[in-house]
Amino acid sequence: MAYAAVVTTSVVASQLQAIGSVGLILEASSLFSNVIAAVGLPIVPILGAIFFHESLDGIKVISIILAVWSFTSYVYQPYFHESTEIATKHIQSNAQESFKAVVPLRSV
């Protein structure tokens, strides 16, 4: 009886995850759906180790680290891109101002 309950719960949970993933794709984007999946990836082995006393071997630890790294990269990328754009615009405006100071425009 316990086996049937576990299988039924697993089936229902996977179906809810699939429906939620499709909903995220339709409402937001497929990239955001993949990010949410990457966030959930390290949670399962950690909960398995806590509640079912599974061992965290090297492969599980590496997958957890890679999942956290991918999520962190996704969160950090817009910040990095924005700060790079601001710095580039600042450098270009300074270069234009210094060029105008060095080479004065003559009227024809």
Side-chain angles (χ1 to χ4, degrees):
M1 185 67 178
Y3 177 75
V6 169
V7 170
T8 304
T9 306
S10 296
V11 168
V12 170
S14 67
Q15 290 298 313
L16 288 174
Q17 187 270 332
I19 291 170
S21 186
V22 169
L24 277 175
I25 290 170
L26 293 175
E27 292 296 323
S29 70
S30 60
L31 177 64
F32 185 67
S33 176
N34 286 334
V35 168
I36 296 300
V39 168
L41 186 65
I43 294 172
V44 174
I46 292 172
L47 290 178
I50 293 171
F51 291 112
F52 299 119
H53 306 290
E54 290 184 4
S55 63
L56 282 176
D57 56 350
I59 299 292
K60 287 181 186 177
V61 172
I62 289 172
S63 70
I64 290 170
I65 290 170
L66 289 175
V68 170
W69 184 15
S70 67
F71 178 72
T72 306
S73 297
Y74 176 77
V75 170
Y76 180 69
Q77 195 273 335
Y79 168 77
F80 178 74
H81 182 69
E82 182 179 314
S83 65
T84 305
E85 274 186 9
I86 291 171
T88 303
K89 287 179 183 177
H90 182 69
I91 290 171
Q92 288 175 348
S93 67
N94 285 344
Q96 288 175 352
E97 289 174 9
S98 63
F99 182 73
K100 288 178 184 176
V102 173
V103 181
L105 296 176
R106 289 187 258 175
S107 60
V108 180

